[in-house]
Amino acid sequence: MMTNNTTKTRNTFLSYFVPFLWGFVVMDAGLGQNTTSDEIKVGVVIDLKTNFSKICLTSINMSLSDFYQTHPHYRTRLALHVRDSMEDIVEASAAAYNLINNEKVRAIIGPRSSMQAEFMIKLATKSQVPTITFSATSPLLRTINNPYFVRATIRAGPRIFKARSPKKKSGRK
């Protein structure tokens, strides 16, 4: 029962994630960035071998497809450039570096783990490329001192509270 609720919450979240990302990137484009192309390059750094990442990538692609099908008059398109972080901190940072310097992406989605995110945040801040994570949940990752890091995760607290089994009332105080 909890699995269906969590899956529904994740699917709902991801259906709103792409329009959020699109607005974020377009807002950046409106702030003086070069917009001669109708394509905005967005990097995706995830662990391609995990089922979670496969589901996320499929959901992002489906959300993009649904968004553009609903808004056919939009000429600007997000072009995803996917890189495998190979479940490794160094590989994730190398993938982000490659996307920023070689592909000239305007934003990066990912990574999955908080450890990978920590290094990518430093790289993103130095190169001024926003990094948006939807799965790195460590409270040590702070957005306050990192203006190019956006955590787009659902708070875990309420889900944890609901997952606990109810305790029987006892006469003790």
Side-chain angles (χ1 to χ4, degrees):
M1 185 172 160
M2 184 63 186
T3 305
N4 290 340
N5 189 25
T6 303
T7 303
K8 183 179 178 182
T9 302
R10 186 177 298 133
N11 289 341
T12 302
F13 172 73
L14 286 173
S15 69
Y16 290 105
F17 183 70
V18 169
F20 165 76
L21 172 66
W22 189 88
F24 188 76
V25 172
V26 169
M27 183 175 66
D28 180 49
L31 296 175
Q33 299 292 331
N34 183 6
T35 58
T36 57
S37 175
D38 288 334
E39 179 180 274
I40 297 176
K41 295 179 180 182
V42 176
V44 180
V45 178
I46 54 177
D47 305 320
L48 292 176
K49 293 179 183 171
T50 66
N51 286 334
F52 175 80
S53 295
K54 289 175 185 176
I55 291 169
C56 290
L57 188 57
T58 300
S59 297
I60 291 170
N61 283 320
M62 287 173 58
S63 296
L64 275 173
S65 177
D66 289 348
F67 180 81
Y68 290 126
Q69 189 173 22
T70 305
H71 302 91
H73 60 282
Y74 281 37
R75 290 181 26 153
T76 304
R77 302 285 181 193
L78 296 181
L80 298 180
H81 295 265
V82 181
R83 297 292 185 273
D84 188 1
S85 66
M86 298 180 209
E87 300 183 48
D88 184 71
I89 298 166
V90 175
E91 290 293 335
S93 296
Y97 182 83
N98 174 274
L99 288 166
I100 292 167
N101 290 315
N102 297 338
E103 298 296 336
K104 307 293 186 212
V105 296
R106 302 276 295 280
I108 296 177
I109 302 171
R112 179 177 180 190
S113 83
S114 297
M115 290 294 288
Q116 291 171 343
E118 185 177 343
F119 289 97
M120 285 180 57
I121 291 167
K122 292 176 183 175
L123 182 62
T125 301
K126 185 175 182 176
S127 59
Q128 298 181 344
V129 173
T131 298
I132 304 166
T133 183
F134 55 89
S135 58
T137 58
S138 172
L140 299 175
L141 297 174
R142 299 192 183 270
T143 58
I144 296 170
N145 296 328
N146 300 302
Y148 292 94
F149 173 63
V150 177
R151 185 191 336 239
T153 58
I154 299 171
R155 253 187 23 208
R159 289 194 318 242
I160 291 170
F161 179 74
K162 289 179 185 177
R164 287 190 211 162
S165 61
K167 295 181 180 179
K168 288 184 178 181
K169 287 188 176 181
S170 65
R172 292 187 248 164
K173 291 188 177 187

